[in-house]
Amino acid sequence: RSSDLAHYMTFDGLNYLFPGDCQYVMVQDYCNDVSGTFRILVGNEGCGISGDKCSKRVTILFENGEIELFNSRVNIKKSVRDETDFEVLQSGRYYILFLGKKITLTWDTAMRISVTLKEGYRDKVCGLCGNFDGVQNNDLVSSNNQIGRA
């Protein structure tokens, strides 16, 4: 989960601040040399006069499709292969995106993004949201298997 000012909480409950300036992998199942099925990227951009970083641009790659969440809009840049595996609902200022039957993303059209995964992804994901294995100590493992600190 990502909230205001680049704060993140992993699937295993670790809270930390990551104010990086580029686009990063929030969560994906392309881990440990395994060919995956989805990737959710987040771009931290300046917010307000203070220059603090806020998660405001989200790119979703799923079933050969590309969906971008930006400027309070859901933009389908490239349709997903099977449109029955993708649904968007709007409730007030929130968008809820269903990616297949195992991934749900909730976005408040500003800075808060929450990704929910079904159990089938346990210990099969990586990125800023951790690896979803029930252990917080290893959530900040980099792509070269170095453990970071919160």
Side-chain angles (χ1 to χ4, degrees):
R1 185 168 38 173
S2 172
S3 63
D4 54 356
L5 303 176
H7 286 92
Y8 291 85
M9 184 170 78
T10 67
F11 295 114
D12 299 328
L14 177 68
N15 289 294
Y16 67 99
L17 176 66
F18 186 77
D21 249 348
C22 296
Q23 186 178 56
Y24 299 94
V25 174
M26 185 171 183
V27 61
Q28 66 180 359
D29 63 351
Y30 291 87
C31 309
N32 302 316
D33 297 322
V34 173
S35 181
T37 59
F38 80 97
R39 181 174 284 145
I40 299 173
L41 307 170
V42 62
N44 293 330
E45 298 188 7
C47 104
I49 298 170
S50 69
D52 288 328
K53 302 299 175 206
C54 299
S55 300
K56 289 191 171 184
R57 184 183 299 262
V58 178
T59 302
I60 302 163
L61 304 172
F62 176 72
E63 284 198 3
N64 293 336
E66 182 177 348
I67 301 107
E68 182 180 72
L69 311 179
F70 185 62
N71 275 346
S72 300
R73 287 191 213 120
V74 175
N75 300 308
I76 299 173
K77 297 186 131 201
K78 183 179 176 195
S79 295
V80 297
R81 181 177 38 240
D82 180 356
E83 299 213 0
T84 63
D85 274 346
F86 175 66
E87 184 178 359
V88 179
L89 299 176
Q90 186 174 12
S91 177
R93 69 177 196 153
Y94 290 91
Y95 281 100
I96 303 164
L97 288 78
F98 298 93
L99 309 175
K101 295 181 180 359
K102 297 181 180 181
I103 306 166
T104 305
L105 186 145
T106 304
W107 178 50
D108 74 351
T109 70
M111 296 178 278
R112 294 183 187 269
I113 305 143
S114 177
V115 177
T116 305
L117 302 176
K118 296 284 185 183
E119 280 295 312
Y121 284 111
R122 184 166 287 285
D123 205 20
K124 294 180 181 167
V125 294
C126 54
L128 294 175
C129 290
N131 57 15
F132 193 32
D133 68 350
V135 179
Q136 289 182 3
N137 297 9
N138 61 6
D139 276 347
L140 300 181
V141 174
S142 70
S143 58
N144 62 356
N145 287 324
Q146 299 293 318
I147 300 221
R149 289 184 230 160

